[in-house]
Amino acid sequence: MAAMSGGVDSAVAAARAVEAGYDVTGVHLALSSNPQSYRTGARGCCTIEDSRDARRAADVIGIPFYIWDMAEEFDRDVVQDFVAEYAAGRTPNPCLRCNEKIKFQAVLERALALGFDAVCTGHHVRLENGRLRRSVDAAKDQSYVLAVLTREQLAHAIFPLGDCTKEEVRAEAARRGLTVADKPDSHDICFIADGDTSGFLERRLGSNPGPIVDETGQVVGEHRGAHAFTVGQRRGLNLSGAPHRRYVLSIEPVSNTVRVGPREALKVDRIVGERPVWSGCEPPEEWTPFLVQLRAHGEVYSCRARQYEGRVEILLDEPALGVAKGQAAVLYDGDVVMGSSTIAETSRVEQAAANHAE
């Protein structure tokens, strides 16, 4: 089963699967009960235009094509989860949740029940010997948002595009006569039609004014809703007259308080993750060296990590800035995904030790 979003990547992936000898059926996921409420044109991946583009691509490739209504599952597991995470003071990654809950849980389960052997997608990632590896196109690599997949899910997945660049994919699409060859990439969050995340959350959660405090607890301003902020954010604080730039350090949903401070205070070197998934190795009981990525397209840090009591503890060799709870911490061995977890706690061990010494 080839998941066809209506973009160039999934179209070429489906064509390559056919060329490799698979018996392929194309499926487009209808993720909104009202597609016009999601993005239109080139800005999204959940629109009527996208379903039409997917159907035309399937016709050119010469495969059967169906549309599966996954709107209820998408709203429950992605949109509502997104809102709930922000309400709890965390910063979720909806693309990661969509891959986990929709494309490789709900869709894969339905595909297997219907007799399909695997789901093929246009993600830029390699799958070798059951392990995820980064794409050869570093700028388009999507291993971070797929690191939540289990070994069982990966055993029923095919990613045909990990060995080529996006430019090569577009050139191949043109050679195959696919009209999506020059279609712009989707970006931002597909279910926020105008791109205004803060406005979307306020419409869902309402206005809830509260204090903005500095590191000492002194009130320095007021916000309209803590859900409008994320750790590391500098813009939108409206703290006129502050002697130095201030950044969001933490969000406390119970007291509805946003704490701000200098950039230096954003540094953390200890991270605790929950809901671990180990697809590339067994859970390490002892401290083990890894590389870790803490946000999509973010920097990679060297670290040590171990699992204890069902959680993952990560110690960074060098502090990272603006690590937000709710994001994924993905552990790599070189370019191979070892495991992932959802960031639940952050702290500064190095600074705490220095303060203790003083």
Side-chain angles (χ1 to χ4, degrees):
M1 195 215 81
M4 302 184 71
S5 67
V8 62
D9 291 323
S10 60
V12 171
R16 286 190 173 190
V18 171
E19 201 169 68
Y22 291 99
D23 181 5
V24 179
T25 295
V27 171
H28 178 77
L29 306 180
L31 300 179
S32 173
S33 55
N34 176 19
Q36 293 176 339
S37 70
Y38 287 0
R39 293 178 183 260
T40 59
R43 287 184 61 83
C45 59
C46 310
T47 67
I48 293 174
E49 295 99 314
D50 291 316
S51 67
R52 292 169 179 164
D53 286 341
R55 183 180 296 277
R56 282 191 288 266
D59 288 343
V60 171
I61 297 168
I63 59 175
F65 178 81
Y66 299 92
I67 295 177
W68 286 2
D69 182 359
M70 306 294 291
E72 183 178 340
E73 294 90 338
F74 184 78
D75 181 69
R76 181 188 65 232
D77 294 330
V78 179
V79 180
Q80 292 184 34
D81 174 82
F82 179 83
V83 175
E85 285 292 283
Y86 267 102
R90 296 185 289 266
T91 304
N93 185 313
C95 294
L96 185 149
R97 194 66 61 232
C98 183
N99 287 324
E100 176 189 15
K101 296 292 187 179
I102 304 301
K103 295 174 183 174
F104 289 96
Q105 183 170 314
V107 171
L108 179 56
E109 287 176 2
R110 184 184 295 188
L112 294 176
L114 290 171
F116 291 97
D117 297 305
V119 170
C120 166
T121 75
H123 287 98
H124 282 261
V125 65
R126 289 175 286 176
L127 183 58
E128 299 178 1
N129 300 318
R131 289 180 168 184
L132 279 177
R133 293 185 64 190
R134 291 190 186 276
S135 168
V136 299
D137 188 341
K140 293 295 181 181
D141 172 60
Q142 292 174 291
S143 61
Y144 177 87
V145 294
L146 291 175
V148 289
L149 303 186
T150 66
R151 295 181 191 179
E152 178 65 19
Q153 290 169 327
L154 291 174
H156 295 284
I158 299 174
F159 306 112
L161 303 187
D163 63 349
C164 59
T165 66
K166 188 59 177 269
E167 289 71 23
E168 291 170 334
V169 171
R170 291 194 181 281
E172 182 175 333
R175 291 196 303 271
R176 292 181 181 275
L178 297 168
T179 58
V180 292
D182 297 321
K183 184 176 180 178
D185 290 341
S186 60
H187 61 279
D188 296 329
I189 301 170
C190 69
F191 55 84
I192 300 182
D194 57 3
D196 179 9
T197 300
S198 178
F200 173 84
L201 290 169
E202 185 166 330
R203 289 190 295 273
R204 291 293 187 105
L205 297 171
S207 177
N208 186 20
I212 299 176
V213 303
D214 63 16
E215 290 181 286
T216 68
Q218 180 178 348
V219 176
V220 294
E222 184 179 86
H223 62 77
R224 294 183 56 184
H227 53 260
F229 300 93
T230 185
V231 170
Q233 180 175 332
R234 180 173 64 86
R235 300 182 184 278
L237 294 174
N238 298 320
L239 300 178
S240 58
H244 306 289
R245 287 181 175 176
R246 287 170 167 168
Y247 299 78
V248 175
L249 303 181
S250 65
I251 301 157
E252 176 48 62
V254 175
S255 62
N256 194 29
T257 299
V258 174
R259 187 166 65 94
V260 299
R263 187 172 185 270
E264 179 69 20
L266 286 171
K267 291 182 177 180
V268 300
D269 53 15
R270 178 179 178 268
I271 297 164
V272 176
E274 57 190 9
R275 301 196 303 273
V277 175
W278 297 97
S279 62
C281 66
E282 294 302 315
E285 297 180 358
E286 305 295 332
W287 288 110
T288 305
F290 292 102
L291 299 174
V292 65
Q293 186 172 330
L294 303 172
R295 62 171 65 89
H297 309 297
E299 291 183 60
V300 174
Y301 301 86
S302 58
C303 69
R304 293 172 294 141
R306 63 173 181 172
Q307 179 168 311
Y308 73 104
E309 298 180 352
R311 307 179 98 196
V312 179
E313 184 177 17
I314 301 169
L315 295 179
L316 305 177
D317 292 346
E318 296 291 337
L321 286 169
V323 180
K325 298 176 184 178
Q327 292 284 291
V330 178
L331 295 164
Y332 292 82
D333 180 4
D335 64 357
V336 180
V337 172
M338 293 288 105
S340 73
S341 62
T342 301
I343 298 171
E345 300 174 16
T346 63
S347 58
R348 183 76 186 276
V349 174
E350 176 186 306
Q351 187 63 51
N355 292 341
H356 181 73
E358 292 175 3

